[in-house]
Amino acid sequence: MELINSYAQLNSSFFERALPKDVKNPTLILWNDSLAEELNLPAELIRDREKLAQIFSGNELYPGFDPIALTYAGHQFGNFVPQLGDGRAHLLCEIRDSNGNGRDIQLKGSGQTRFSRNGDGLCALGPALREFIMSESMFYLGIPTARSLAVVGTGETVFREGQKPGAVVTRAASSHLRVGTFEYFSARQDRNSLEILLNYTIQRHYPEITEENIHEKSILLLESVINRQIFLISEWMRVGFIHGVMNTDNTALSGETIDFGPCAMMNQYNPDTVFSSIDHAGRYSFGNQPKILQWNMARFAETLLLLIDENPDSAIQKALPFIQKIPEKFDAEWLNMMRRKIGISIPANKDDELIHSLLNLMEKNKSDYTNTFDLLTRIMENQDREYASEEQLNAVGILDWRDPWQSRLKQENNSDLKIADLMRKHNPRIIPRNHRVEEAIEEAENTGRFEKTERLIEVLRSPNRISDQNETYREPPPDGDQNYMTFCGT
Ligand code: AMP
Ligand code: MG
C-alpha cells in the first residue's frame, strides 16, 4: 500500500488536523473486497476483520495515516454558507491505487471537528448502508462515483428521529475537492490559496492541462470541470438517478458522484420527480438537474474570476460564454445518450423529436423508466418485434411509437444484434429501487441482520443479469413510491 497524502501537504488553511473519535464496540458490517484489492491494502490487514473494524471506525490509526478535516464553503439550496467543512468526516489518507491514481480514504460519522457547528459528528446506520449500496450500484452501472470501502457499526446510539444504531462509513474518492473548496477561498478574496488550489486540482485531476499561464489555465480548468459535470449529470439521467442535494459543496471537481444523502431512483418517468423531504420547490428534481449543473458551474466560474483576469469585467467576459454554452452542450450530450438508449448509433435530424415523443408517452402513461427501456432492449435482443412486442408495448402505452422507432433504426443498416448490444450497454435491468434500499435498511435497523443488504448489493453488482432469483428486483414498488421521502443531514 502506497500512501501519498498530498492534500495534507498543502498549508493549514486547507484543512485542520483532527482525530476520529473512539467508538465503543466496532464491528465490521460491510467490506468491499474488490475495492480493497484495487487499493492494494495489505493482505494481512484484509484478513483481520477485528483490525479492519478498529481502523475503519477510527479507533486505531494505521501507520502513515494523517487524519484531517477539510475546509470548504458552499451554496446550499441557493444560499451561500461561507464556512462548512468536514463536520463529521475525517480524511485518513490518500492511497495510490492499482491504476496509479490517488484515492482519498475518508471516514464519515467519525466524530466532531472544528467544522461541526451544531452537528453531533455522527452517522446513523441507515444512511451509512444507503451510501454503500447506492455508490456500489452507481459504480457497476458505469457511472463516475466515489465508492464505499466499509461500514462499521459503532455499538453506540445516535439520536435522529428517535434512537438509531450508529455507524461509520468509509469512502474512497478520487479526491474531496469541491466547488465549495474554491468558494471558501474566493469568498475571502484569498488569491494566493486559490492559485495553490487551482494548481493542485489540475495536477490531480486534469494533468492534460499543461498551460503555464495562470489566466489560461483557469479558463481551461473551468471548461474541463464543466465537461465532466455535463457527462456526469447526463449519466445520472441515463439510469434515473436523482442526487437530491446538488449543492456546490457536494459537487466534486473530479466529476464523480459524491455525497449520497437523500438520493433516490425515479420509477415512473416524470421529470418533476423529487423525493427529498426538504426540497419543497423541486430545485433538485430529476428534470431540473441540468439547470442546477449550470447554476453550480456559474458559482465555480465566479471563484475563478480572480485568477482569470486582474480586471474583473474582462474576467467575466472571458468566463461567461462557457457558462452560457452549458445548456446547448448538455442537450447534445443528453441527446446522444438517449439515442444510444433506443439503439441509434449515428445522429440524424429529428432524433430529438423521436425521443421526446417516447418520453411524452411515458410520462402520460406513467411508464416505469428503467423497465420501459429494458423492454425496448429485449425486443431487439429477442428479435421479436412483430409479435410479442405488440402486447407488451401496448401494455405500457407506447405501441404507437414502435413504427417510427423501427423505421428510424432501419436507416442505419445495423443488425438487430448490434443494436441490442448498444442498447443493453445503456439500459440496465436492475437499479437500486428505493423500496429495496429501504427494506434492507429496515432489516438492519430492526433486527441487526444484514442479509437483505448483502443480497441487494450482490444483485446490483450485475445490473444486466436476470435470473429466477433476482427477477423480483426489477419490480417497481406497488404504490409507485408515491409517499416515498428521503432525508438529508441524517
Ligand atoms: P451534507 O448534507 O451531508 O453534504 O452535509 C453538509 C454539511 O453539514 C457538511 O459540512 C457536513 O460536514 C455537515 N454535517 C452534516 N451532518 C452533520 C453532523 N451530524 N454533524 C456535524 N456536521 C454535519
Ligand atoms: Mg456534503
Side-chain angles (χ1 to χ4, degrees):
M1 176 169 69
E2 185 190 348
L3 298 176
I4 320 171
N5 300 355
S6 61
Y7 200 79
Q9 286 156 39
L10 300 178
N11 72 55
S12 61
S13 48
F14 290 87
F15 59 83
E16 169 137 307
R17 291 216 148 70
L19 289 175
K21 102 178 190 39
D22 279 344
V23 308
K24 201 160 85 191
N25 186 20
T27 46
L28 190 62
I29 292 171
L30 296 177
W31 178 252
N32 194 332
D33 275 313
S34 73
L35 178 59
E37 207 171 295
E38 219 177 286
L39 295 169
N40 294 318
L41 296 189
E44 72 278 6
L45 173 60
I46 293 177
R47 274 194 298 271
D48 189 345
R49 288 181 75 89
E50 294 259 327
K51 185 105 174 153
L52 290 175
Q54 292 294 342
I55 291 173
F56 294 103
S57 63
N59 269 7
E60 208 177 290
L61 270 192
Y62 196 79
F65 284 9
D66 184 8
I68 53 178
L70 308 191
T71 310
Y72 52 88
H75 277 87
Q76 301 185 309
F77 288 87
N79 304 308
F80 186 59
V81 185
Q83 180 168 306
L84 287 164
D86 287 334
R88 54 162 171 174
H90 292 81
L91 178 57
L92 291 179
C93 66
E94 179 189 349
I95 299 180
R96 194 178 311 282
D97 70 14
S98 49
N99 300 315
N101 299 318
R103 301 279 281 275
D104 277 6
I105 309 300
Q106 189 200 52
L107 302 179
K108 185 163 168 182
S110 43
Q112 288 173 319
T113 72
R114 181 161 78 82
F115 308 109
S116 299
R117 294 171 290 161
N118 296 320
D120 59 8
L122 305 177
C123 183
L125 177 63
L129 295 177
R130 171 192 287 276
E131 171 133 6
F132 195 113
I133 295 166
M134 295 306 290
S135 59
E136 202 57 4
S137 169
M138 292 294 266
F139 177 76
Y140 283 94
L141 289 168
I143 297 171
T145 182
R147 292 184 73 185
S148 298
L149 180 64
V151 172
V152 177
T154 58
E156 295 174 9
T157 300
V158 176
F159 295 90
R160 293 295 180 256
E161 296 103 41
Q163 298 190 9
K164 303 275 180 187
V168 175
V169 57
T170 303
R171 68 174 171 199
S174 295
S175 85
H176 287 86
L177 296 166
R178 314 142 194 272
V179 169
T181 318
F182 277 81
E183 286 179 296
Y184 178 86
F185 295 106
S186 150
R188 286 159 183 77
Q189 296 280 301
D190 182 350
R191 192 184 183 283
N192 186 38
S193 297
L194 278 173
E195 191 168 342
I196 294 172
L197 190 58
L198 174 89
N199 288 327
Y200 181 79
T201 307
I202 289 175
Q203 183 198 333
R204 195 152 174 188
H205 297 300
Y206 301 93
E208 66 279 9
I209 301 178
T210 53
E211 199 64 51
E212 299 270 316
N213 179 290
I214 181 82
H215 306 314
E216 280 160 35
K217 259 198 289 201
S218 310
I219 284 289
L220 286 171
L221 180 67
L222 174 62
E223 188 178 20
S224 306
V225 170
I226 288 172
N227 288 343
R228 283 201 199 165
Q229 285 295 316
I230 287 175
F231 177 70
L232 180 66
I233 283 37
S234 157
E235 280 291 277
W236 288 355
M237 296 183 77
R238 175 170 69 82
V239 300
F241 179 79
I242 307 167
H243 183 280
V245 256
M246 284 176 71
N247 293 332
T248 54
D249 55 306
N250 296 335
T251 303
L253 298 175
S254 62
E256 283 182 347
T257 313
I258 57 159
D259 280 12
F260 294 83
C263 66
M265 304 301 292
M266 179 173 65
N267 294 297
Q268 297 167 356
Y269 175 71
N270 184 337
D272 296 334
T273 307
V274 56
F275 292 113
S276 168
S277 62
I278 53 171
D279 190 3
H280 307 296
R283 180 179 169 92
Y284 300 140
S285 65
F286 178 76
N288 214 36
Q289 296 184 118
K291 276 205 194 110
I292 294 297
L293 142 72
Q294 185 188 24
W295 195 90
N296 287 344
M297 289 299 98
R299 303 292 78 74
F300 181 49
E302 284 165 4
T303 71
L304 294 173
L305 293 177
L306 273 175
L307 302 177
I308 289 172
D309 202 301
E310 279 81 24
N311 178 318
D313 288 337
S314 315
I316 292 173
Q317 288 313 312
K318 285 181 189 165
L320 198 57
F322 291 94
I323 300 301
Q324 286 169 330
K325 264 184 279 171
I326 291 175
E328 195 186 316
K329 278 173 85 173
F330 183 85
D331 286 351
E333 181 77 33
W334 178 86
L335 192 57
N336 278 333
M337 178 275 288
M338 293 302 289
R339 282 188 175 106
R340 295 189 280 266
K341 276 176 88 70
I342 61 168
I344 297 173
S345 315
I346 306 159
N349 286 339
K350 304 212 172 159
D351 285 346
D352 55 340
E353 281 172 32
L354 183 69
I355 288 161
H356 280 112
S357 69
L358 172 63
L359 291 176
N360 289 341
L361 284 174
M362 285 169 64
E363 186 175 351
K364 195 174 101 200
N365 294 300
K366 301 189 177 354
S367 319
D368 184 83
Y369 189 68
T370 305
N371 289 353
T372 303
F373 285 104
D374 179 42
L375 170 62
L376 297 176
T377 312
R378 277 185 293 135
I379 287 168
M380 299 309 295
E381 282 171 344
N382 298 334
Q383 302 174 26
D384 62 358
R385 289 179 248 181
E386 307 309 326
Y387 172 68
S389 62
E390 197 139 317
E391 225 172 289
Q392 294 165 315
L393 290 172
N394 207 18
V396 290
I398 56 172
L399 183 57
D400 289 350
W401 185 77
R402 185 187 60 176
D403 287 351
W405 174 45
Q406 286 300 320
S407 47
R408 172 65 183 88
L409 288 181
K410 285 196 184 97
Q411 282 175 20
E412 298 200 346
N413 276 330
N414 283 330
S415 69
D416 286 358
L417 225 62
K418 191 175 165 198
I419 294 170
D421 195 43
L422 176 71
M423 292 175 73
R424 184 47 79 208
K425 284 199 181 90
H426 298 89
N427 295 323
R429 306 202 73 179
I430 300 184
I431 56 160
R433 299 267 178 191
N434 306 326
H435 64 297
R436 289 289 180 182
V437 178
E438 291 310 319
E439 171 188 275
I441 291 173
E442 252 164 57
E443 180 196 54
E445 283 182 342
N446 297 339
T447 69
R449 290 155 56 135
F450 304 97
E451 278 104 6
K452 285 189 174 157
T453 302
E454 283 165 1
R455 176 81 185 114
L456 178 59
I457 293 169
E458 184 189 323
V459 169
L460 293 171
R461 282 177 171 155
S462 304
N464 292 340
R465 195 183 308 146
I466 297 289
S467 64
D468 290 347
Q469 286 77 41
N470 68 9
E471 176 74 34
T472 58
Y473 287 85
R474 295 183 58 238
E475 289 165 13
D479 71 343
D481 276 341
Q482 271 172 37
N483 299 313
Y484 184 60
M485 237 186 217
T486 56
F487 300 90
C488 200
T490 39

